[in-house]
Amino acid sequence: VQLQASGGGFVQAGGSLRLACVASGRTFINMGWFRQAPGKEREFVAIVRRSGSREYYAESVKGRFTISRDNAKNTVNLRMDSLKPEDTAVYYCAAGDGILSAIRSTSTYHYWGQGTLVTVSS
């Protein structure tokens, strides 16, 4: 099983970026994104469930980020709008089959992408 992430880069505050992640080898109930800023722990950003494509967001990104999923292609995307300097982090694609109550926990996910850097300047 592999998760291959792409996208990210450098943008000024208020700008937009897109991240994409392709999973190979199997399908998952939960697919989404976490991020880790320098000196901080990895934190939940957004997850989309396979059944019904229900979306879940961290409060800090709600209304600015949009997650989507293509089950046929086994991909998950993250559109990030109105970016802020505090969104600067390495973003990691995550996939797993954990229960709904645990989707915001990093320990729920056994598969991770390689990480892609997002830098937002003020």
Side-chain angles (χ1 to χ4, degrees):
V1 175
Q2 283 191 325
L3 300 181
Q4 182 67 45
S6 61
F10 181 92
V11 67
Q12 292 188 331
S16 299
L17 287 172
R18 293 174 183 260
L19 304 180
C21 178
V22 180
S24 60
R26 56 160 292 189
T27 59
F28 298 92
I29 294 174
N30 306 312
M31 293 186 72
W33 300 89
F34 285 70
R35 67 186 181 186
Q36 188 166 16
K40 295 187 177 181
E41 293 187 353
R42 193 170 297 188
E43 65 175 7
F44 168 76
V45 175
I47 289 292
V48 57
R49 303 268 282 179
R50 183 173 61 202
S51 177
S53 296
R54 288 290 302 273
E55 304 165 20
Y56 301 86
Y57 297 93
E59 285 299 321
S60 59
V61 306
K62 196 174 291 184
R64 300 187 298 120
F65 291 13
T66 304
I67 191 170
S68 61
R69 177 170 180 166
D70 186 331
N71 291 328
K73 297 180 179 179
N74 214 11
T75 59
V76 61
N77 300 299
L78 186 69
R79 174 177 172 171
M80 304 182 291
D81 296 319
S82 302
L83 282 161
K84 304 176 181 180
E86 51 263 44
D87 294 318
T88 295
V90 176
Y91 283 69
Y92 294 91
C93 176
D97 298 318
I99 59 177
L100 181 58
S101 61
I103 60 171
R104 291 173 173 80
S105 173
T106 56
S107 61
T108 298
Y109 299 88
H110 298 294
Y111 300 98
W112 295 88
Q114 78 278 19
T116 183
L117 179 62
V118 171
T119 303
V120 185
S121 67
S122 57

